[in-house]
Amino acid sequence: SDQMCLVNTQIQRTDPLMPPAPEYAHSIRLDGDIILGGLFPVHARGERGAPCGELKKEKGIHRLEAMLFAIDLINKDPDLLPNVTLGARILDTCSRDTYALEQSLTFVQALIERDSTDVRCASGEQPIFAKPDKIVGVIGAAASSVSIMVANILRLFKIPQISYASTAPELSDNTRYDFFSRVVPPDSYQAQAMLDIVTAMGWNYVSTLASEGNYGESGVEAFVQISRETGGVCIAQSLKIPREPRPGEFDKIILRLLETPNARAVVMFANEDDIRRVLDAAKRNNQTGHFLWVGSDSWGSKISPVVQQESVAEGAITILPKRASIEAFDRYFKSRSLSNNRRNVWFAEFWEENFGCKLGMHGKRPGSPKKCTGLEKVGRDSTYEQEGKVQFVMDAVYAMAYALHRMHRDLCSGYPGLCPRMSNIDGKELLGYIRNVSFNGSAKTLVVFNENGDAPGRYDIYQYQITNRSTEYRIIGHWTDQLHLNVRTMQWASGDSSVPASVCSLPCQTGERKKVVKGVLCCWHCERCEGYHYQASEFTCQLCPYEQRPDQNRTGCQPIPIIKLEWHSPWAVAPIFIAILGILATTFVVVTFVRHNDTPIVRASGREMSYVLLTGIFLCYVTTFPMIAAPGLAVCSFRRIFLGLGMCFSYAALLTKTNRIHRIFEQGKRSVAAPRFISPASQLVITFSLISVQLMGVFVWFVADPPHTIVDYGEQRTQDPENARGVLKCDISDLSLICSLGYSILLMVTCTVYAIKTRGVPETFNEAKPIGFTMYTTCIIWLAFIPIFFGTAQSAERMYIQTATLTVSLSLSASVSLGMLYMPKVYIIILHPEQNVPKCKRSFKAIVTAATMTNKLSQLASERPNGEVKTELCESVDNSSEYRRLLYHNHCLRYTYIHLFI
């Protein structure tokens, strides 16, 4: 009815303080069954209070047209959303978050219930309200700060949102931005990729530079956080570029960066205008070639930041989400003209800006002398290069379309067009379909979302290089969960292919640990691992196990070489030579005695005890060989047995002989009766009883501590590990050695005491004096052995000295006994056999006379001491021939008497 009025429910600016809407503050509206919202930075941020500035041809128009192109393709596709048409409501954010928030209220109008009771038509009729478009999902926004602001509104009304360019890590927080998704990877992936680049270059000391705002600050924050978690990279400085920089601000930034000159690498999360001005300031301060720039995707492969600053930007490494140029969009965009693209309300402004001309009286470029003909052609009359995010805009639209398609398939199975169940689409339900889409995007790459609505990280790595012919961004690698970098294709400002350094401290040499400077993990002093320590890690030196020593590089441990006394060693040759001579000499004596076994000298020396003594002497010489042989179970067993056995045989026999002589003459002073246990058999029993004590001790030792070998690493553990050696030896401690030799030494000392007591016996009676000299000499040898053996316990040559000392002492002891007791006898037996005969010829008459004298001596002995008997006897027969005969017979009697006992 013409009497009724129509009221548009679009939210109006009724606040008098709010500035009037500019003439370009309008939107693109495409009719359809399902309406998608769109947010694009068609214009830049305005200055001096104006919300919007100049037109953005690539970031604004290219991306906007990519959405329109994607909708056209979807609507023409019979297999995707059949019989369902997509429409659009596209708004300009003017690159400002607050302005974008105001614009996005348009998307929620249909969901807001308005009170119409106060609305009246002038005619008094009831008003008819124009129903606003219901937006089921929003494509955008570009800037992270804008997406964050808009997401807070859209989540209240459960409207899903898919961004094509917002990469702030905080948007991954599914608790705050649960209706937000994006087809580009978040900056946390980008930060990880940039950290991997820095690490691959060997740069562990870097500075960061961020533009103030969500993108820059969150990107740097993610980089710093990941670097702290993974370690290995330290931040020298973190600088921020203000939103409204003052004059000279960028020069101050360069000077601040130069305060840490070793941190040449600068990680940048900044917009392209700030990047350009930073490079310009570095050039003004003559720092060309000093800084190693690592730029985020805001730098990417753009030309504008490096124009006229190519030299200072040379070598810069930049990162960009992996993308491809969509040829179909190129054909579409180049075919756009003023006549066939009237749906884009900003296309006329783009036309003037792109071709540098003016459209009529109301054109946007009043100062342009050239008028537009309308026949200009994009790409022919102007330069054209597809904007980098076109692919992602189309992927975002397709992600929404695929989600709607599957929702339609589930809710409207077989129903042409929208069914009643989809007349009012539930945003939360649609969000579930969005998060589960999986398809090959416009660049034939997989489009999927994780549980936080993030796309997988896929980046191309570029380096800005200057060649003789041109300048270019060259792809040097890519990152997909891990870095793949071709270092050989990289080029630096110095012209050198080697990677320049950005480190606080040079790497330590092998075998050196890093002593970190307090508070700065990447600055350190190098300290060498000394002694038996090796480099366990970059920061620690650890002590090698006791049986090991550091290797040559001190990066690990290796077994300490094991040594033993070798047969060819000078410490072994001398003892072996002495032992061999002793064995030959002893064998010669034994053979001589055996051959002359019944001669007076052999019989007078006590044959049985002589053979026992010679056996002990032989064992003393033989002991040298197991003491020098390589330790093993058999050798160690022989060492325990023979170590004290030879001495025990020798001194048990000598002790028995000296004790027998002492008892005979002591008995002779008191009585002419023979002492007990002086027969050869008794002497052997006593001797082997003494020897059995040694054998019993050895047996107990075997049972309590079975013989085995050990490697003594402490004996030759020198200060220099290179000289350290492990000594293979038998497990015979000094205490065990003392115990084993102690019994033999006790026998030796006791024998010496008896030798002293019998020193006054006549020379002809059983070699008492030679035994005494033997024992005195032996005591001297062993008294010298003790300080030499135990005084070298701390010497590095301990094994050699102690073994040589012990074996030589044993051989010398045996040699003294052999030389003093048997060599004179052998000399007489071999060279003077005429002396090897009895001294007295005893006839029957002499024996009778001796018996008579014996009786008389016995009677006198019962009353007086022996000396008095002799005196009285001599007085009674003095000056008579009978005395001389008795004296001769007495001498023979004594000879016979003693030898009857002995």
Side-chain angles (χ1 to χ4, degrees), residues 778-848:
T778 303
C779 286
I780 293 172
I781 291 172
W782 286 99
L783 285 174
F785 161 79
I786 292 173
I788 294 174
F789 186 89
F790 294 101
T792 57
Q794 304 301 322
S795 172
E797 305 290 330
R798 172 184 173 184
M799 174 187 67
Y800 305 109
I801 296 175
Q802 290 187 343
T803 303
T805 302
L806 180 59
T807 53
V808 169
S809 297
L810 288 170
S811 296
L812 288 179
S813 300
S815 299
V816 167
S817 300
L818 187 66
M820 289 191 174
L821 297 178
Y822 292 101
M823 285 306 169
K825 295 178 175 60
V826 172
Y827 174 79
I828 292 173
I829 292 172
I830 300 299
L831 298 180
H832 297 282
E834 70 278 3
Q835 298 181 14
N836 191 13
V837 293
K839 294 286 184 180
C840 301
K841 299 288 186 177
R842 286 170 293 191
S843 63
F844 178 78
K845 183 178 180 180
I847 293 174
V848 170

Side-chain angles (χ1 to χ4, degrees), residues 144-145 167-170 187 191 208-225 238-243 268-271 274 296:
S144 295
S145 58
T167 56
E170 63 182 283
D187 285 337
T208 62
L209 188 58
S211 293
E212 187 176 1
N214 285 98
Y215 172 77
E217 294 179 38
S218 61
V220 165
E221 183 180 353
F223 180 86
V224 172
Q225 180 66 26
S238 276
L239 305 182
K240 188 185 299 184
I241 302 172
R243 291 180 188 270
M268 299 180 67
F269 281 85
N271 59 57
D274 288 343
S296 62

Side-chain angles (χ1 to χ4, degrees), residues 629-655:
L633 181 60
V635 171
C636 292
S637 300
F638 283 124
R639 283 189 188 183
R640 290 193 181 189
I641 295 171
F642 292 123
L643 184 60
L645 189 60
M647 290 178 62
C648 186
F649 263 81
S650 299
Y651 300 129
L654 287 175
L655 176 60

